[in-house]
Amino acid sequence: MKKKKRDVSNGHRSINMNSVINVIPLSGVVFRTAVIRRHLRRLRYHVFPLVSAVSGCLLLLLAALSLLAPSPVLHHHDHLSLLRHYHSSDDNGVVEARSNSDETATFRVPKSGGSSGRDLWSTRKSDMFHGCSNAADNFATADVKTHSNRYLLIATSGGLNQQRTGITDAVVAAYILNATLVVPKLDQKSFWKDSSNFDEIFDVDWFISSLSKDVGIIKQLPTKGGKPMSPYTMRVPRKCNAKCYQNRLVPVLNKKHAVQLTKFDYRLSNKLDSNLQKLRCRANYHALKFTDLINEMGKTLVERMRMKSKHFIALHLRFEPDMLAFSGCDFGGGEKERKELGKIRKRWKTLHASNPDKVQRHGRCPLTPEEVVLMLRALGFGSDIHLYVASGEVYGVEETLAPLKKLFPNYHSKETIASKEELTPFSSFSSRMAALDFIVCDESDVFITNNNGNMARMLAGRRRYFGHKPTIRPNAKKLSLLFMNHNNMTWEEFASKLQTNQIGFMGELNVIKPGRGEFHENPAACICSASGTKSSEVPIPQNESFNIQNIYKEDDLKKDSGYVTDGQITEDEQDWSGIDYTEMNINRSQGKVLPSVRVSDPGLLLKPDEPELEDFFSD
């Protein structure tokens, strides 16, 4: 019993002890909580106002800085943009640009061009070739072959350079038809709405006299019975060959005596007898001269560029609303861009609905100004280079041009190197303004084209003919993929890949085989190779020869009616006005890299693939 009582008393003792243990910490917690509350009250009344004041000051400072900072650059290719944020150049002359992904390293664009392993200002072995377009001894002259009662008139299409193709080809068509050519009418109703006549852009008297041995040319139709002749209006298929012209027009000329061909652009085959091709070159490169007024202003612009630097680049940017609308590409401008370009696109009612992703994959989207300058820097052109930009109104204006001016501060255009007063005789006429750009681009040391439109092709061919001056065209298909996959890529890797992708697009000799591609871009029949004191023509494939004397003979093997030739578009197919046309003859033969040549030297490599000829809307 005593044991039990002891146990009970012990039990009561232990219970009482536990109660004491539990009470003590509880009171401590309450005490500490009260202390914390007093501290919080003090912070609320003294510290919090101070923090709020500091925060407010910081916000005001950030707001002031944002107002002073330059506006962000508008990137039409927002998903392709490489230069996301611009910074000042550091001691090493590097412009830093953070790529789209925050996880990737800073994309560092050097200020200097570095070494591309090639001479930037010349084409290798260009002195071994020269233009040669004199008529052969057996080429019949105009006084011998022209019929006195046959007159050919044409109505050109599009802008200045598209019209130029029509004028050049009309000379050859008149020769094929034994007809007298009436000075062509220029398109005054297309997109550009330029009211200029032939003699306001070209030296008409020189045009007539310089071709007088080949084709008779008059300024207007003669009268018949005291009344002006009324020409019969018709159209021929695109890229119609010599037999096609004979079959379609000779019967009409014999009956009507005067025929006017409408929408005359790319209406003559690329593949003709070499004598006819040489006539094409005489008309294009020698007979078509701008008026003295245009020539003098153009030469003034060139002289002013030469005063700034020994060498200069001319860039045909062609990033204008009409070009972008026609391309059907997405430039990252969102709904606003789609509405603006979509409205312009409706002007060509027969255009198919665009598929931007597909067009992009096929390399048919022009590079943005940002992408163009990155290409130039990767090719070796540094920020000290003087750059002349030939362009109309750029879509996005200054915001779009900001990357270009950042990497190439020596930026020039006809508007920056000539006064408003000097440009007044030209500024209201798009074709005359385009003629000024044409002259500067032609005289530039390096010509860069951002598309394969009419001006690009015309200048590429002309520069080949007059000395093979470097002409660079972006390999848009491959460069598009490079720009999209630049993440996790250093500048050195990017530049190396770009140089490799540009092989075959740098204006090298013999890039396009004779007879391939569009003739105005590759006038192979008019370029001769020199060997000592002798010169020999670049050979034309036998299957492209054409005997003018035997034009009426039937081809027993092919039974060629002369109506569908050279991949032409027939009358029932799409026929736009003011659009670029090009023959999609693509040589897909693969070249091989010479084992002793460095990959960094695009000018010394055989191209991995032939350039593809894009269809781009251009003047």
Side-chain angles (χ1 to χ4, degrees):
M1 287 296 294
K2 288 183 180 178
K3 231 178 213 185
K4 284 183 182 180
K5 284 183 182 179
R6 199 176 289 118
D7 290 337
V8 171
S9 65
N10 288 339
H12 285 295
R13 197 177 296 126
S14 59
I15 290 173
N16 291 337
M17 289 298 295
N18 288 337
S19 299
V20 173
I21 292 170
N22 290 331
V23 168
I24 291 173
L26 181 62
S27 62
V29 169
V30 172
F31 175 75
R32 283 196 298 272
T33 302
V35 172
I36 290 170
R37 285 177 179 172
R38 282 197 296 273
H39 282 298
L40 288 174
R41 287 195 204 100
R42 289 177 184 173
L43 286 171
R44 186 184 306 166
Y45 291 114
H46 300 288
V47 179
F48 284 2
L50 180 61
V51 172
S52 299
V54 173
S55 300
C57 290
L58 288 172
L59 288 173
L60 288 173
L61 181 61
L62 289 172
L65 288 173
S66 66
L67 290 174
L68 294 173
S71 301
V73 179
L74 174 65
H75 297 280
H76 292 291
H77 275 223
D78 203 41
H79 56 296
L80 301 180
S81 180
L82 298 177
L83 305 179
R84 304 305 299 156
H85 303 286
Y86 295 104
H87 305 280
S88 300
S89 298
D90 59 20
D91 294 336
N92 294 322
V94 174
V95 176
E96 293 187 356
R98 198 169 299 280
S99 62
N100 289 347
S101 173
D102 293 336
E103 299 176 359
T104 59
T106 298
F107 192 82
R108 297 170 64 84
V109 184
K111 185 176 181 180
S112 64
S115 176
S116 64
R118 66 188 303 271
D119 183 358
L120 299 175
W121 305 109
S122 65
T123 303
R124 294 177 67 252
K125 299 183 179 180
S126 59
D127 56 346
M128 296 177 62
F129 296 86
H130 60 89
C132 54
S133 60
N134 290 336
D137 293 338
N138 62 348
F139 193 65
T141 56
D143 57 346
V144 173
K145 69 187 297 296
T146 303
H147 292 207
S148 59
N149 60 346
R150 289 186 187 178
Y151 299 95
L152 179 68
L153 302 85
I154 66 160
T156 60
S157 296
L160 175 67
N161 293 288
Q162 191 164 329
Q163 293 181 40
R164 192 179 187 116
T165 64
I167 296 168
T168 299
D169 291 350
V171 171
V172 181
Y175 185 91
I176 292 171
L177 296 169
N178 299 334
T180 297
L181 178 67
V182 179
V183 170
K185 294 180 180 179
L186 302 188
D187 186 351
Q188 300 176 341
K189 298 179 181 179
S190 64
F191 180 87
W192 295 269
K193 294 182 173 59
D194 190 311
S195 61
S196 300
N197 294 317
F198 187 99
D199 60 0
E200 293 174 302
I201 295 179
F202 302 106
D203 185 332
V204 65
D205 293 326
W206 173 262
F207 179 70
I208 293 172
S209 62
S210 63
L211 291 170
S212 59
K213 290 184 179 181
D214 300 310
V215 177
I217 304 176
I218 57 176
K219 294 184 179 180
Q220 57 186 13
L221 276 175
T223 58
K224 187 176 182 180
K227 296 180 180 180
M229 294 180 67
S230 179
Y232 179 80
T233 301
M234 60 181 293
R235 193 179 304 171
V236 294
R238 297 199 180 281
K239 298 176 181 173
C240 192
N241 67 10
K243 182 177 285 189
C244 170
Y245 273 91
Q246 289 283 352
N247 288 343
R248 285 181 176 248
L249 270 78
V250 167
V252 181
L253 281 168
N254 287 338
K255 183 177 181 181
K256 302 290 185 180
H257 306 299
V259 172
Q260 175 164 313
L261 301 178
T262 62
K263 290 190 176 182
F264 197 83
D265 59 315
Y266 297 97
R267 300 283 168 175
L268 183 65
S269 171
N270 280 329
K271 301 174 182 178
L272 298 172
D273 172 75
S274 62
N275 281 324
L276 295 180
Q277 298 288 48
K278 286 179 180 292
L279 175 57
R280 220 175 197 167
C281 294
R282 291 197 293 279
N284 192 3
Y285 303 135
H286 299 284
L288 274 180
K289 288 175 56 178
F290 293 121
T291 62
D292 289 341
L293 182 66
I294 292 174
N295 261 328
E296 288 170 8
M297 190 66 227
K299 289 178 180 178
T300 298
L301 296 177
V302 173
E303 288 171 2
R304 289 175 185 175
M305 288 301 298
R306 293 283 178 216
M307 290 172 63
K308 297 178 183 297
S309 179
K310 180 181 178 181
H311 300 295
F312 75 92
I313 296 174
L315 165 64
H316 187 215
L317 187 58
R318 203 63 177 99
F319 201 75
E320 297 151 26
D322 60 311
M323 170 68 179
L324 305 187
F326 185 79
S327 72
C329 301
D330 179 9
F331 298 95
E335 187 61 26
K336 180 175 180 290
E337 176 191 293
R338 283 191 286 275
K339 286 183 178 179
E340 290 174 348
L341 299 185
K343 185 177 180 181
I344 298 174
R345 191 175 174 82
K346 289 178 181 178
R347 296 175 183 175
W348 300 285
K349 297 179 181 179
T350 50
L351 280 182
H352 300 298
S354 64
N355 184 338
D357 292 335
K358 183 178 180 181
V359 177
Q360 181 73 41
R361 287 195 306 272
H362 285 81
R364 296 180 183 274
C365 293
L367 302 187
T368 65
E370 180 179 22
E371 291 165 344
V372 170
V373 295
L374 286 171
M375 177 191 75
L376 292 180
R377 181 69 94 250
L379 290 175
F381 296 100
S383 60
D384 59 328
I385 298 298
H386 284 259
L387 181 67
Y388 178 92
V389 177
S391 179
E393 180 186 358
V394 176
Y395 185 67
V397 202
E398 288 303 316
E399 290 178 324
T400 304
L401 291 173
L404 188 153
K405 293 180 178 180
K406 181 70 179 183
L407 293 186
F408 289 89
N410 296 316
Y411 170 97
H412 311 283
S413 67
K414 53 186 175 293
E415 289 80 8
T416 66
I417 60 176
S419 66
K420 187 175 181 180
E421 291 72 24
E422 287 177 310
L423 294 176
T424 298
F426 316 96
S427 56
S428 298
F429 305 93
S430 59
S431 290
R432 299 181 205 183
M433 292 289 273
L436 296 179
D437 279 338
F438 186 96
I439 293 171
V440 181
C441 290
D442 185 35
E443 293 292 329
S444 67
D445 298 283
V446 174
F447 173 56
I448 316 289
T449 172
N450 193 24
N451 63 40
N452 198 43
N454 291 295
M455 181 169 173
R457 290 198 293 268
M458 277 289 178
L459 279 168
R462 184 179 178 87
R463 289 169 69 87
R464 282 190 172 103
Y465 183 83
F466 289 108
H468 272 88
K469 292 184 289 185
T471 300
I472 299 173
R473 179 163 62 90
N475 183 351
K477 189 173 184 178
K478 289 189 175 180
L479 292 192
S480 173
L481 294 173
L482 180 62
F483 286 126
M484 285 192 290
N485 296 289
H486 73 279
N487 290 330
N488 301 317
M489 192 183 299
T490 66
W491 170 258
E492 290 72 24
E493 291 172 322
F494 173 82
S496 177
K497 289 179 183 293
L498 187 141
Q499 290 177 28
T500 301
N501 289 340
Q502 278 298 114
I503 296 171
F505 290 75
M506 300 293 289
E508 298 95 334
L509 297 171
N510 299 326
V511 166
I512 304 175
K513 290 184 178 181
R516 306 291 288 191
E518 206 276 325
F519 180 81
H520 294 292
E521 179 182 11
N522 183 43
C526 304
I527 297 175
C528 298
S529 60
S531 176
T533 57
K534 298 179 180 179
S535 64
S536 59
E537 291 186 22
V538 177
I540 301 297
Q542 292 298 316
N543 61 356
E544 293 172 23
S545 62
F546 162 76
N547 189 342
I548 192 78
Q549 304 299 328
N550 298 327
I551 193 164
Y552 288 111
K553 291 184 179 179
E554 280 289 322
D555 184 339
D556 295 329
L557 295 176
K558 296 183 179 179
K559 300 294 183 183
D560 181 8
S561 65
Y563 295 132
V564 181
T565 63
D566 198 22
Q568 70 191 41
I569 300 174
T570 54
E571 290 293 334
D572 58 346
E573 295 185 67
Q574 294 175 341
D575 186 12
W576 351 76
S577 174
I579 299 174
D580 264 347
Y581 303 95
T582 186
E583 183 182 14
M584 296 302 291
N585 268 340
I586 302 169
N587 181 7
R588 301 189 182 279
S589 60
Q590 300 296 311
K592 295 181 180 179
V593 177
L594 296 175
S596 60
V597 180
R598 293 176 299 162
V599 176
S600 61
D601 188 350
L604 299 177
L605 290 174
L606 293 177
K607 56 198 174 302
D609 56 357
E610 292 286 349
E612 293 186 0
L613 302 177
E614 298 94 341
D615 282 332
F616 275 146
F617 175 79
S618 174
D619 59 327

